[in-house]
Every structure is written in C-alpha cells, then in structure tokens.
Amino acid sequence: MTTVEEQLLKQLISTLAELQSTLRLLNNKLKVENNPTSTITTSPSNNTAESIPLEQKITAIMKEIGIPSNIKGYYYLKDVIIYCMDFDILPSITQKVYPVIAKKYATTPSRTERCIRNAIETAWSRGNYDYLQKLFGYTISAEKGKSTNSEFIACIVNELKRS
C-alpha cells in the first residue's frame, strides 16, 4: 500500500468514525423526542410536587396560545420545544434543530421553519392575545407585532423551565 493510499484510508476511517458518532447522537436525540415519559416537575400553590409529562405541558401552553393542532407547524413546534428543553441549544435552532425535525418528518429545514412560522403567525392573528401578552410581554417586536420563531420558542422553553 502506498503512502497516498494509507493517508486516504486514514481519512476515510476518521470520517466514518465522525459519522458513526453523529448517528449515535441523532439516534439518542430521536429516542428522547419520541419518549412520551419525559417529564418536568411543577410546584402548585399547595407545595406538593406533581409530575406532569412534558408533552402534556407543551400541549396545554400551545392550546392556551391558540395554535391549532390541525397544522403541520403545531407538531414541528412541539418537537422543537421538546428538543430545546432536552438539549438546551436555543441559540442554534435554525442550524441544528430544524434539520433534525425535518428529517423526522421527511421534509426540508426551510419547510419546517415556514410551517413553524405559520403556526406562530396563526397564534398571533387568531389566538389568545391576553395570554400571548402575558407570556411574551415586551419581547414582541414593535414593528411586526409578533415574535420571531426563535423568540417564540425561547419564551415557551423559559416558561416551561420556570414552571
């Protein structure tokens, strides 16, 4: 075997190891996303800890906000929130989270982003405005009258972590 062939073989082995590591990470993330037993703990006013499944808590918030469950963005948004709760990667939603969600639903990251944006716009146009104001407060852009996808997701994730 020549030196060039040896170098190519080493590069190939290194690339395969990186791919294997990435696949293992994605597999673990998908297991967490599909695990309905992920829970968060809330403390009601009577100070008894009650464990509520994370997915139910997200569903309740999205219902209160006014996002209809008959649009794709509802499910994409729910998965993005679960993903961000589990992996705490809010700053890189577009680059890291949308591709994972897109792959899960056999679509593209740009379509995933658009569907989520549509769900958020629907909430701002037909949803519970009082609850939206309570949840988002001053974080809403004065010019647009609504939050960006990342702001929306971050506010819901922060609300879930506070409760």
Side-chain angles (χ1 to χ4, degrees):
M1 193 179 291
T2 67
T3 308
V4 173
E5 289 173 333
E6 287 177 7
Q7 287 176 343
L8 288 173
L9 186 59
K10 285 179 183 178
Q11 286 178 341
L12 181 60
I13 291 170
S14 174
T15 303
L16 287 173
E18 289 176 20
L19 285 171
Q20 185 179 19
S21 174
T22 303
L23 286 173
R24 195 175 303 120
L25 177 64
L26 285 173
N27 188 30
N28 289 338
K29 289 177 184 178
L30 289 174
K31 284 179 185 176
V32 170
E33 290 170 3
N34 293 324
N35 182 1
T37 60
S38 292
T39 59
I40 58 173
T41 302
T42 61
S43 297
S45 58
N46 62 3
N47 293 329
T48 60
E50 176 185 340
S51 185
I52 298 173
L54 177 59
E55 193 169 338
Q56 286 180 0
K57 186 83 168 162
I58 294 169
T59 299
I61 289 174
M62 290 175 66
K63 183 178 179 183
E64 182 73 23
I65 288 171
I67 299 174
S69 62
N70 65 330
I71 58 177
K72 289 179 184 178
Y74 172 89
Y75 299 98
Y76 297 171
L77 186 57
K78 198 175 194 179
D79 284 349
V80 167
I81 292 166
I82 290 170
Y83 190 92
C84 289
M85 287 290 293
D86 291 336
F87 297 103
D88 199 28
I89 61 169
L90 285 173
S92 55
I93 290 173
T94 305
Q95 293 84 18
K96 294 186 180 175
V97 182
Y98 288 168
V100 172
I101 302 304
K103 187 172 183 175
K104 179 179 178 183
Y105 289 97
T107 187
T108 65
S110 62
R111 288 180 183 160
T112 302
E113 186 273 334
R114 187 179 66 230
C115 288
I116 290 172
R117 186 173 3 102
N118 179 54
I120 293 169
E121 288 173 356
T122 301
W124 284 108
S125 64
R126 314 189 301 204
N128 182 344
Y129 192 74
D130 292 334
Y131 187 73
L132 287 165
Q133 282 295 114
K134 177 186 160 217
L135 193 62
F136 297 98
Y138 66 89
T139 61
I140 303 166
S141 166
E143 299 104 34
K144 294 183 180 179
K146 61 183 180 192
S147 58
T148 65
N149 289 9
S150 295
E151 289 170 335
F152 191 91
I153 292 163
C155 281
I156 292 178
V157 167
N158 289 335
E159 177 69 17
L160 288 165
K161 287 182 178 182
R162 275 194 308 254
S163 62

